[in-house]
Amino acid sequence: MLDLLIEEKISSDAYKMKVEQFEKAELDLKSKIAVNNIPENNFNECLEYACNILDNLDSFWLNSNIDIKERLQKIIFPNGLRYETGVFRNSRMSSLFKIIGTLSVPSINMVPPREFESLSTP
């Protein structure tokens, strides 16, 4: 907008009006953040919090209220769950479990055992 004003492509009145609109929009967003109590954490803190939840997903589930459990269930099972012949099923694996699966698979650098070799690690 400032460039347009300098190049005389817009009037100073139009510039002032746009600046006021941007300032009002900024104040609206800041008030929404304050009302919704959205934390202003940095990326590393958010990532650490998310990793902590993933590491302790079972206890997080057990200690959460019903609203959090419903949200978590929608994240883990976006297509929902079905109950068939005594077991719960879902139509596709959640992206969250795919990521957790890739992170938690231990890397084994041993040659597979043959014939009489012991199956235990040395």
Side-chain angles (χ1 to χ4, degrees):
M1 293 300 299
L2 185 58
D3 289 339
L4 294 175
L5 179 66
I6 292 170
E7 295 171 6
E8 296 181 353
K9 292 184 178 178
I10 61 169
S11 68
S12 62
D13 289 338
Y15 173 79
K16 288 177 186 176
M17 185 177 70
K18 263 312 195 189
V19 168
E20 287 174 6
Q21 286 177 346
F22 289 140
E23 288 173 347
K24 183 182 181 307
E26 180 183 18
L27 286 174
D28 288 344
L29 289 173
K30 285 182 178 180
S31 69
K32 286 179 182 178
I33 288 172
V35 167
N36 291 316
N37 210 9
I38 299 171
E40 295 181 12
N41 297 330
N42 66 32
F43 178 76
N44 290 334
E45 289 174 353
C46 292
L47 183 62
E48 185 177 328
Y49 178 75
C51 288
N52 184 39
I53 287 176
L54 292 176
D55 283 342
N56 303 297
L57 197 54
D58 54 342
S59 62
F60 182 74
W61 173 269
L62 291 173
N63 295 319
S64 295
N65 64 33
I66 191 70
D67 181 52
I68 298 296
K69 287 180 179 180
E70 287 176 351
R71 290 180 188 190
L72 188 58
Q73 186 171 330
K74 286 178 184 176
I75 291 169
I76 295 173
F77 305 109
N79 293 350
L81 290 172
R82 294 186 324 262
Y83 187 75
E84 294 177 2
T85 61
V87 292
F88 285 101
R89 298 182 182 271
N90 60 337
S91 59
R92 71 179 173 95
M93 180 181 259
S94 167
S95 301
L96 180 62
F97 282 126
K98 288 178 185 176
I99 292 169
I100 291 172
T102 61
L103 297 176
S104 62
V105 174
S107 135
I108 300 173
N109 296 324
M110 295 175 51
V111 177
R114 296 182 312 185
E115 297 183 24
F116 298 106
E117 293 179 24
S118 170
L119 294 177
S120 64
T121 58

